[in-house]
Protein backbone atom coordinates (compact mmCIF):
# COMPACT_ATOMS: atom_id res chain seq x y z
CA UNK A 1 0.00 0.00 0.00
CA UNK A 2 1.40 3.39 -0.99
CA UNK A 3 1.96 5.60 2.09
CA UNK A 4 0.95 8.71 0.15
CA UNK A 5 -1.73 8.82 -2.54
CA UNK A 6 -1.38 11.57 -5.13
CA UNK A 7 -4.42 12.91 -6.95
CA UNK A 8 -5.03 15.79 -9.35
CA UNK A 9 -8.62 16.81 -8.57
CA UNK A 10 -8.56 20.09 -10.51
CA UNK A 11 -6.41 21.94 -12.99
CA UNK A 12 -3.11 23.07 -11.41
CA UNK A 13 -3.97 21.44 -8.05
CA UNK A 14 -2.37 18.38 -6.44
CA UNK A 15 -3.87 16.52 -3.49
CA UNK A 16 -1.63 14.39 -1.26
CA UNK A 17 -3.45 11.92 0.98
CA UNK A 18 -1.51 10.27 3.81
CA UNK A 19 -2.42 6.62 3.60
CA UNK A 20 -1.62 4.64 6.74
CA UNK A 21 -5.14 4.53 8.22
CA UNK A 22 -4.30 1.46 10.32
CA UNK A 23 -1.68 3.53 12.18
CA UNK A 24 -3.63 6.81 12.28
CA UNK A 25 -1.33 8.02 9.50
CA UNK A 26 1.71 7.89 11.78
CA UNK A 27 4.68 9.31 9.92
CA UNK A 28 6.86 6.29 9.22
CA UNK A 29 10.23 6.79 7.55
CA UNK A 30 8.80 5.39 4.32
CA UNK A 31 5.91 7.87 4.44
CA UNK A 32 8.20 10.83 5.11
CA UNK A 33 10.54 9.93 2.27
CA UNK A 34 7.58 9.57 -0.07
CA UNK A 35 6.24 12.93 1.08
CA UNK A 36 9.66 14.48 0.48
CA UNK A 37 9.85 13.01 -3.02
CA UNK A 38 6.35 14.22 -3.86
CA UNK A 39 7.03 17.74 -2.56
CA UNK A 40 10.30 17.92 -4.47
CA UNK A 41 8.55 16.77 -7.63
CA UNK A 42 5.53 19.08 -7.26
CA UNK A 43 7.78 22.04 -6.43
CA UNK A 44 9.44 21.58 -9.83
CA UNK A 45 6.22 20.91 -11.77
CA UNK A 46 5.19 24.19 -13.39
CA UNK A 47 1.67 22.89 -14.04
CA UNK A 48 1.00 22.71 -10.28
CA UNK A 49 0.04 25.95 -8.54
CA UNK A 50 -1.32 24.75 -5.17
CA UNK A 51 -0.93 21.62 -3.05
CA UNK A 52 -3.46 20.22 -0.57
CA UNK A 53 -2.30 17.71 2.02
CA UNK A 54 -4.71 15.63 4.09
CA UNK A 55 -5.16 12.39 6.00
CA UNK A 56 -8.52 10.76 6.67
CA UNK A 57 -11.47 11.46 8.95
CA UNK A 58 -9.87 9.77 11.99
CA UNK A 59 -6.45 11.28 11.71
CA UNK A 60 -4.58 13.86 9.73
CA UNK A 61 -1.49 12.25 11.29
CA UNK A 62 -0.88 10.94 14.82
CA UNK A 63 2.77 11.95 14.78
CA UNK A 64 6.06 10.22 14.22
CA UNK A 65 5.80 6.43 14.19
CA UNK A 66 6.38 5.54 17.84
CA UNK A 67 6.82 1.84 17.05
CA UNK A 68 9.79 2.75 14.87
CA UNK A 69 11.40 4.84 17.63
CA UNK A 70 11.17 2.58 20.71
CA UNK A 71 14.69 1.17 20.41
CA UNK A 72 16.61 3.91 18.70
CA UNK A 73 19.04 6.40 20.17
CA UNK A 74 20.29 9.86 19.33
CA UNK A 75 22.91 8.77 16.80
CA UNK A 76 20.36 6.83 14.79
CA UNK A 77 17.92 9.75 14.95
CA UNK A 78 20.65 11.99 13.55
CA UNK A 79 21.52 9.45 10.86
CA UNK A 80 17.91 9.38 9.71
CA UNK A 81 18.36 13.03 8.70
CA UNK A 82 14.68 13.71 8.90
CA UNK A 83 15.41 17.39 8.41
CA UNK A 84 15.90 16.65 4.72
CA UNK A 85 12.31 15.39 4.56
CA UNK A 86 10.85 18.40 6.34
CA UNK A 87 12.96 20.82 4.27
CA UNK A 88 11.29 19.61 1.08
CA UNK A 89 7.94 20.77 2.47
CA UNK A 90 9.27 23.93 4.09
CA UNK A 91 11.01 25.02 0.89
CA UNK A 92 8.09 24.30 -1.43
CA UNK A 93 7.46 27.56 -3.32
CA UNK A 94 3.79 26.72 -4.03
CA UNK A 95 1.06 27.39 -1.46
CA UNK A 96 0.43 24.33 0.71
CA UNK A 97 -2.97 23.88 2.33
CA UNK A 98 -3.50 21.33 5.09
CA UNK A 99 -7.01 19.87 5.37
CA UNK A 100 -7.08 18.50 8.92
CA UNK A 101 -9.68 16.04 10.15
CA UNK A 102 -9.29 14.00 13.33
CA UNK A 103 -5.98 13.92 15.16
CA UNK A 104 -3.06 16.16 14.25
CA UNK A 105 -0.66 15.20 17.02
CA UNK A 106 3.11 15.54 17.44
CA UNK A 107 4.71 15.35 14.02
CA UNK A 108 1.18 15.49 12.59
CA UNK A 109 0.59 18.90 14.12
CA UNK A 110 4.06 19.92 12.95
CA UNK A 111 3.19 18.75 9.44
CA UNK A 112 0.02 20.86 9.49
CA UNK A 113 2.11 23.82 10.67
CA UNK A 114 4.40 23.40 7.65
CA UNK A 115 1.38 24.37 5.52
CA UNK A 116 0.58 27.97 4.60
CA UNK A 117 -3.13 27.61 5.28
CA UNK A 118 -4.83 25.16 7.66
CA UNK A 119 -8.46 24.22 7.08
CA UNK A 120 -9.84 22.15 9.97
CA UNK A 121 -12.88 19.93 10.10
CA UNK A 122 -14.94 20.61 13.23
CA UNK A 123 -13.74 17.38 14.89
CA UNK A 124 -10.04 18.04 14.38
CA UNK A 125 -7.77 17.82 17.43
CA UNK A 126 -4.36 19.51 17.56
CA UNK A 127 -1.63 18.70 20.05
CA UNK A 128 2.06 18.17 20.76
CA UNK A 129 1.98 15.28 23.26
CA UNK A 130 5.67 14.32 22.89
CA UNK A 131 6.42 15.15 26.54
CA UNK A 132 4.38 12.11 27.55
CA UNK A 133 6.88 9.93 25.67
CA UNK A 134 9.86 11.55 27.35
CA UNK A 135 10.80 13.43 24.21
CA UNK A 136 9.89 16.76 22.64
CA UNK A 137 8.93 18.09 19.22
CA UNK A 138 11.79 18.17 16.71
CA UNK A 139 10.20 19.64 13.58
CA UNK A 140 9.02 23.04 14.69
CA UNK A 141 6.50 22.07 17.35
CA UNK A 142 7.91 24.33 20.04
CA UNK A 143 8.77 27.19 17.68
CA UNK A 144 5.97 27.34 15.12
CA UNK A 145 3.32 26.68 17.75
CA UNK A 146 4.60 29.52 19.97
CA UNK A 147 4.68 31.85 16.97
CA UNK A 148 1.16 30.83 15.96
CA UNK A 149 -0.63 30.90 19.31
CA UNK A 150 1.79 32.73 21.63
CA UNK A 151 4.12 31.61 24.40
CA UNK A 152 1.57 31.05 27.13
CA UNK A 153 -0.91 28.88 25.27
CA UNK A 154 1.95 26.99 23.60
CA UNK A 155 3.69 26.30 26.92
CA UNK A 156 0.47 25.00 28.41
CA UNK A 157 -0.07 22.64 25.49
CA UNK A 158 3.52 21.44 25.22
CA UNK A 159 4.16 20.87 28.92
CA UNK A 160 0.83 19.18 29.70
CA UNK A 161 0.32 17.32 26.39
CA UNK A 162 -2.90 19.31 26.14
CA UNK A 163 -4.90 19.49 22.94
CA UNK A 164 -6.96 22.11 21.13
CA UNK A 165 -10.25 21.46 19.37
CA UNK A 166 -10.71 22.91 15.90
CA UNK A 167 -12.62 25.89 17.28
CA UNK A 168 -10.03 26.49 20.02
CA UNK A 169 -7.25 26.26 17.45
CA UNK A 170 -9.08 28.75 15.26
CA UNK A 171 -9.59 31.16 18.16
CA UNK A 172 -5.90 30.82 19.06
CA UNK A 173 -4.71 31.53 15.50
CA UNK A 174 -3.49 28.05 14.58
CA UNK A 175 -6.23 27.40 12.03
CA UNK A 176 -7.30 29.53 9.05
CA UNK A 177 -10.90 28.28 8.92
CA UNK A 178 -13.13 25.64 10.54
CA UNK A 179 -15.55 23.71 8.36
CA UNK A 180 -18.63 21.67 9.34
CA UNK A 181 -18.73 17.87 9.12
CA UNK A 182 -16.43 16.26 6.58
CA UNK A 183 -16.05 19.37 4.43
CA UNK A 184 -12.40 20.19 5.16
CA UNK A 185 -10.92 18.61 2.04
CA UNK A 186 -13.59 20.15 -0.21
CA UNK A 187 -12.98 23.56 1.32
CA UNK A 188 -9.20 23.15 1.02
CA UNK A 189 -9.60 22.20 -2.64
CA UNK A 190 -11.84 25.20 -3.20
CA UNK A 191 -9.20 27.50 -1.66
CA UNK A 192 -6.51 25.75 -3.75
CA UNK A 193 -8.61 26.30 -6.89
CA UNK A 194 -8.96 30.00 -6.09
CA UNK A 195 -5.21 30.33 -5.57
CA UNK A 196 -4.46 28.31 -8.73
CA UNK A 197 -6.49 30.80 -10.76
CA UNK A 198 -4.35 33.71 -9.52
CA UNK A 199 -1.19 34.93 -11.29
CA UNK A 200 1.42 32.36 -10.14
CA UNK A 201 4.35 34.77 -9.81
CA UNK A 202 2.34 37.08 -7.56
CA UNK A 203 1.30 34.08 -5.46
CA UNK A 204 4.91 32.89 -5.18
CA UNK A 205 6.20 36.34 -4.17
CA UNK A 206 3.47 36.84 -1.57
CA UNK A 207 4.25 33.46 0.03
CA UNK A 208 8.00 34.06 0.00
CA UNK A 209 7.86 37.62 1.33
CA UNK A 210 5.36 36.83 4.08
CA UNK A 211 7.46 33.90 5.33
CA UNK A 212 10.83 35.65 4.98
CA UNK A 213 9.44 38.77 6.64
CA UNK A 214 8.42 36.77 9.70
CA UNK A 215 12.10 35.90 10.20
CA UNK A 216 13.42 39.45 10.21
CA UNK A 217 12.81 42.98 11.51
CA UNK A 218 9.94 45.08 10.16
CA UNK A 219 12.05 47.61 8.21
CA UNK A 220 13.91 44.87 6.33
CA UNK A 221 10.69 42.97 5.78
CA UNK A 222 9.00 46.07 4.37
CA UNK A 223 11.92 46.59 2.03
CA UNK A 224 11.63 42.97 0.86
CA UNK A 225 7.93 43.56 0.29
CA UNK A 226 8.51 46.72 -1.77
CA UNK A 227 11.16 45.05 -3.93
CA UNK A 228 8.94 42.08 -4.66
CA UNK A 229 5.93 44.32 -5.30
CA UNK A 230 7.89 46.41 -7.82
CA UNK A 231 9.32 43.29 -9.47
CA UNK A 232 5.82 42.01 -10.22
CA UNK A 233 5.22 45.10 -12.38
CA UNK A 234 7.54 43.47 -14.96
CA UNK A 235 5.39 40.38 -15.43
CA UNK A 236 3.12 39.50 -18.35
CA UNK A 237 0.45 38.42 -15.87
CA UNK A 238 0.36 41.88 -14.27
CA UNK A 239 -0.20 43.45 -17.70
CA UNK A 240 -2.84 40.86 -18.59
CA UNK A 241 -4.65 41.33 -15.26
CA UNK A 242 -4.73 45.12 -15.30
CA UNK A 243 -5.66 45.30 -18.99
CA UNK A 244 -8.47 42.81 -18.42
CA UNK A 245 -9.73 44.89 -15.50
CA UNK A 246 -9.82 48.03 -17.62
CA UNK A 247 -11.45 46.21 -20.58
CA UNK A 248 -13.89 44.35 -18.30
CA UNK A 249 -12.91 40.87 -19.50
CA UNK A 250 -11.37 37.81 -17.87
CA UNK A 251 -7.60 37.35 -18.03
CA UNK A 252 -5.77 34.03 -18.12
CA UNK A 253 -2.37 33.74 -16.54
CA UNK A 254 0.77 32.04 -17.78
CA UNK A 255 3.10 32.51 -14.85
CA UNK A 256 5.39 34.75 -16.86
C1 LIG B 1 2.68 4.46 15.69
C2 LIG B 1 0.44 4.69 16.10
C3 LIG B 1 0.61 6.06 16.39
C4 LIG B 1 1.93 6.62 16.31
C5 LIG B 1 -1.47 5.57 16.61
N1 LIG B 1 -0.86 4.44 16.25
N2 LIG B 1 -0.60 6.57 16.71
N3 LIG B 1 1.47 3.90 15.76
N4 LIG B 1 2.94 5.76 15.96
N5 LIG B 1 2.19 7.89 16.52
C6 LIG B 1 -1.44 3.11 16.06
C7 LIG B 1 -1.79 2.45 17.38
O1 LIG B 1 -0.67 1.86 17.95
C8 LIG B 1 -2.82 1.44 16.94
O2 LIG B 1 -2.17 0.33 16.36
C9 LIG B 1 -3.56 2.19 15.82
O3 LIG B 1 -2.68 3.22 15.38
C10 LIG B 1 -4.83 2.86 16.30
O4 LIG B 1 -4.51 3.63 17.44
P1 LIG B 1 -5.44 3.68 18.73
O5 LIG B 1 -4.64 4.30 19.81
O6 LIG B 1 -6.05 2.35 18.98
O7 LIG B 1 -6.58 4.65 18.18
P2 LIG B 1 -7.44 5.75 18.98
O8 LIG B 1 -7.99 5.14 20.26
O9 LIG B 1 -8.40 6.29 17.96
O10 LIG B 1 -6.40 6.88 19.42
C11 LIG B 1 -5.77 7.66 18.43
C12 LIG B 1 -4.63 8.49 19.06
C13 LIG B 1 -3.64 7.58 19.81
C14 LIG B 1 -5.20 9.51 20.05
C15 LIG B 1 -3.98 9.23 17.88
O11 LIG B 1 -3.29 6.48 18.96
C16 LIG B 1 -2.37 8.26 20.22
O12 LIG B 1 -2.33 8.94 21.26
N6 LIG B 1 -1.30 8.10 19.43
C17 LIG B 1 0.02 8.63 19.76
C18 LIG B 1 0.10 10.11 19.52
C19 LIG B 1 1.47 10.68 19.86
O13 LIG B 1 1.96 10.49 20.99
N7 LIG B 1 2.10 11.34 18.92
C20 LIG B 1 3.45 11.93 19.07
C21 LIG B 1 4.48 10.96 18.55
S1 LIG B 1 6.14 11.59 18.72
P3 LIG B 1 -2.59 -1.19 16.68
O14 LIG B 1 -1.50 -1.99 16.05
O15 LIG B 1 -2.70 -1.31 18.15
O16 LIG B 1 -3.93 -1.32 15.98
C22 LIG B 1 6.29 12.73 17.47
C23 LIG B 1 7.56 13.58 17.38
C24 LIG B 1 8.85 12.88 17.39
O17 LIG B 1 5.45 12.91 16.68
C25 LIG B 1 9.96 13.93 17.38
C26 LIG B 1 11.32 13.37 17.35
C27 LIG B 1 12.42 14.41 17.32
Amino acid sequence: MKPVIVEYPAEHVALLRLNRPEARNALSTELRVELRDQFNRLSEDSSIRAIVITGDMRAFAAGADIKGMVDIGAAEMMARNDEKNWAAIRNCPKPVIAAVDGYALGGGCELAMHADIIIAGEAAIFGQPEVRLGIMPGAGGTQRLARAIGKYRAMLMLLTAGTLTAQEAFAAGLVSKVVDGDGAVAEALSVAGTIAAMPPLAVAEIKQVLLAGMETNLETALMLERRAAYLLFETDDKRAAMTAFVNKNKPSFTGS
Side-chain angles (χ1 to χ4, degrees):
M1 205 160 73
K2 285 193 167 182
V4 179
I5 297 171
V6 187
E7 298 169 24
Y8 300 94
E11 198 182 10
H12 304 310
V13 175
L15 171 63
L16 301 176
R17 288 185 190 274
L18 307 189
N19 186 37
R20 294 191 70 216
E22 75 290 353
R24 300 290 183 273
N25 292 323
L27 306 170
S28 61
T29 301
E30 189 198 6
L31 187 152
R32 290 178 211 221
V33 168
E34 180 63 20
L35 214 47
R36 175 188 79 201
D37 290 347
Q38 291 300 339
F39 268 97
N40 283 337
R41 192 179 59 76
L42 294 169
S43 292
E44 294 289 320
D45 183 342
S46 60
S47 73
I48 296 301
R49 297 183 183 175
I51 299 166
V52 174
I53 179 163
T54 194
D56 55 49
M57 288 306 291
R58 278 190 305 202
F60 175 72
D65 194 306
I66 300 168
K67 291 169 186 168
M69 296 190 299
V70 177
D71 293 320
I72 71 168
E76 198 173 338
M77 280 298 282
M78 286 173 77
R80 281 186 180 185
N81 194 11
D82 206 22
E83 158 60 13
K84 199 171 160 192
N85 301 328
W86 291 110
I89 308 174
R90 189 171 72 236
N91 296 330
C92 176
K94 324 274 169 86
V96 177
I97 302 162
V100 178
D101 285 303
Y103 295 106
L105 299 179
C109 188
E110 291 173 307
L111 178 60
M113 289 192 291
H114 272 67
D116 302 304
I117 294 171
I118 302 178
I119 307 289
E122 61 187 347
I125 302 276
F126 296 84
Q128 299 284 166
E130 286 90 339
V131 67
R132 255 195 215 132
L133 299 169
I135 56 169
M136 63 177 283
T142 57
Q143 304 308 307
R144 286 200 178 90
L145 191 65
R147 282 165 171 75
I149 70 175
K151 169 186 162 185
Y152 299 100
R153 280 185 279 209
M155 279 288 189
L156 184 61
M157 276 180 77
L158 285 154
L159 298 177
T160 67
T163 54
L164 294 180
T165 64
Q167 282 298 350
E168 288 168 342
F170 176 73
L174 179 59
V175 157
S176 314
K177 189 171 182 177
V178 181
V179 177
D180 289 344
D182 61 358
V185 174
E187 177 62 21
L189 288 174
S190 165
V191 171
T194 301
I195 293 170
M198 299 293 176
L201 292 174
V203 167
E205 289 298 321
I206 290 167
K207 170 169 174 166
Q208 193 176 41
V209 167
L210 192 154
L211 292 177
M214 289 173 78
E215 305 298 320
T216 187
N217 64 67
L218 183 60
E219 274 306 309
T220 309
L222 290 171
M223 185 179 68
L224 269 179
E225 182 189 75
R226 281 194 301 276
R227 303 278 157 166
Y230 300 156
L231 187 66
L232 289 170
F233 275 70
E234 277 309 305
T235 62
D236 294 340
D237 286 345
K238 170 263 176 189
R239 275 177 219 106
M242 290 197 184
T243 306
F245 176 83
V246 171
N247 295 338
K248 299 186 188 298
N249 53 33
K250 204 171 176 301
S252 67
F253 301 119
T254 58
S256 59

